[in-house]
Amino acid sequence: MPDMPPYREEDAGLLAVQTAGDNAPALSISEISQLLKRTVEDRFGFVRVRGELSGVKRAASGHLYLSLKDENARLDGVMWRGGAQRLGFVPEDGVEVIATGKLTTYPGRSNYQIVIERMEVAGEGALLALLAKTKARLEAEGLFAPARKRPLPYLPRVIGVVTSPTGAVIRDILHRLRDRFPTHVVVWPVLVQGPGAAAQIAAAVRGFSALEPGGPVPRPDLVIVARGGGSIEDLWCFNDEDVVRAIAASTIPTISAVGHETDTTLADFAADVRAPTPTAAAEIAVPVRGELMAALADLHARKSRAVVRLLSLSRERLEQRARRLPQPQALLEGQAQRLDDLGDRLRRALVHRTGLAATQLAQRAAGLRPAVLEARLRQGQDRLAAQRLRPALVLQRIEAARTGLAALDRVRRSLDPKAPLRRGYVLVTDANGQLVRSHKVAEAAGLLRLEFSDGLLDVVPGSAPPSAAPRPAPKPRGPAPGDTQPKLL
């Protein structure tokens, strides 16, 4: 930037004057902002700043906006989406970090800020503080609740392992499974430390849950998330929030086997079971095959002994009860004697019944003499002659029935509703065929039907009768009016 000439009082005026040879022309706001931007970026193109995070906010675009502060000052900062995605931890307010980047200015607000390219937790103490805050937040959401823990399958057919395919961990797990109970193992290879490890571990856990039963890749009955020992920084990817949520949301029971027995990560709290080491995870996953076979053999022997003992006891009970049963011959002796007695009584009864029948037959034969039969025949003929019908009685019954029938016909004709029509009366009905019995009902009806003795006539209440000829009345179904006596068929 060129040196400014000294300010003189006599140069002040009402209007700004551009003099010839003036080497300090007036700059625009944009020009001075660009000069400041280049000066700051050239001077502070690479800086490392230590401070406490404040006002952390992740925009929808993926950029991370924050402030770094200490007890005396504050520095605004921004981390573009690419760098924010490579972070090994979740930035939160209150975490002390060391940010690496460059200083620049933001002309829109006339302030300066740091563009962060890399950000790390400032020391193990700050890392533990971040771990405690993350644990408290996830625990408040219920991700570590004991009620969410599921029992492990006793004998899984397929075991999924999320670990590095080249480390000693997978070899230890396979060796232990082979010794205890050979089981089909599906390995999902992932990074277990460094940038990108957390995303791969979370994707592997979700990938096992997304497998369909009966697919080309068998769906595991149990998942083991494993890694060998290391520092807190090496194991940090298992404290990542995305990994913890993936394990908590897994639809398959999960064992966490991260580090040594003294190492604890948030993945251990989210998993259904925590194993102190990967080898211990294999021991928890399956029982010992030899012990199972020995237990089965013992159960088989106990079953055989139980069957033999049951048969022996049943045989003893049967023999004891058989001794108490009487001899078959003794059971039949009483019945045989009773049979002989009944046979003798039957023989005597038949002889007695035959004598009685012969006596009764002789008595009946004495009553069947010809003279007795002829007398009975004559008595029957006399009774039959007395019961013969006389024509006068039949005609008398017919005349009485004709008189009653004529009386009923006179009653019928007196109750005929159409009979008054022949004397000049009219039968009034509405359009539905209902009788109209009052003036009020007639006014409410839209159409009245008048039935005379010789036909029907439709009229509208309040109008002149139509000129059309009346329709003939329906023919009565009963006897004709001229009939005075019913016909006897």
Side-chain angles (χ1 to χ4, degrees), residues 27 57 68-69 136 139 189 224 347 367 396 405 416 446:
L27 300 175
K57 181 178 67 175
L68 297 170
K69 67 178 183 178
E139 189 172 14
I224 299 176
R347 186 168 48 255
Q396 184 181 359
L405 185 59
D416 184 7

Side-chain angles (χ1 to χ4, degrees), residues 335-346:
Q335 300 299 327
Q337 183 178 1
R338 186 164 180 265
L339 178 62
D340 294 339
D341 182 46
L342 291 175
D344 183 60
R345 290 173 60 188
L346 177 61

Side-chain angles (χ1 to χ4, degrees), residues 82-161:
Q85 291 176 345
R86 292 192 298 270
L87 281 175
F89 66 99
V90 179
E92 294 183 356
D93 291 354
V95 178
E96 189 175 6
V97 298
I98 295 178
T100 303
K102 65 179 180 178
L103 290 183
T104 183
T105 63
Y106 183 58
R109 289 199 298 265
S110 297
N111 61 357
Y112 64 95
Q113 63 185 6
I114 180 172
V115 178
I116 303 172
E117 297 178 358
R118 188 177 63 185
M119 187 163 55
E120 301 160 325
V121 180
E124 187 171 337
L127 200 61
L128 293 176
L130 176 61
L131 178 62
K133 291 186 63 175
T134 306
K135 178 184 176 183
R137 179 164 49 82
L138 296 179
E139 189 172 14
E141 295 182 18
L143 297 184
F144 306 150
R148 299 183 70 258
K149 309 298 182 182
R150 294 163 294 185
L152 302 181
Y154 178 71
L155 191 60
R157 297 181 180 180
V158 180
I159 298 177
V161 180

Side-chain angles (χ1 to χ4, degrees), residues 149-150 152 159-162 169 172-173 176-177 180 222-229 235 238 247 253-286:
K149 309 298 182 182
R150 294 163 294 185
L152 302 181
I159 298 177
V161 180
V162 179
V169 172
D172 292 344
I173 292 176
R176 201 48 154 165
L177 291 176
R180 291 176 64 85
L222 178 67
V223 173
I224 299 176
V225 180
R227 188 204 186 282
L235 303 180
F238 294 94
I247 293 175
T254 306
I255 298 177
S256 175
V258 179
H260 298 302
E261 188 169 356
T262 57
D263 298 323
T264 303
T265 64
L266 297 183
D268 298 330
F269 295 101
D272 297 298
V273 174
R274 176 187 179 269
T277 61
T279 303
E283 295 176 354
I284 295 173
V286 294

Side-chain angles (χ1 to χ4, degrees), residues 416-428 449-457 470-476 481:
D416 184 7
K418 301 297 180 66
L421 301 182
R422 291 189 290 273
R423 297 196 299 272
Y425 291 94
V426 177
L427 184 65
V428 182
R449 178 164 293 172
L450 307 180
E451 182 175 349
F452 297 90
S453 61
D454 57 348
L456 299 175
L457 182 63
R471 291 177 292 174
K475 295 181 179 181

Side-chain angles (χ1 to χ4, degrees), residues 161-171 174 187-192 200:
V161 180
V162 179
T163 189
S164 172
T166 58
V169 172
I170 186 61
R171 291 195 296 270
L174 293 176
V187 180
W188 196 302
V190 296
L191 294 174
V192 290
Q200 291 188 15

Side-chain angles (χ1 to χ4, degrees), residues 272 299 308 366 395 428 484:
D272 297 298
L299 291 175
V308 171
L395 293 177
V428 182
T484 58

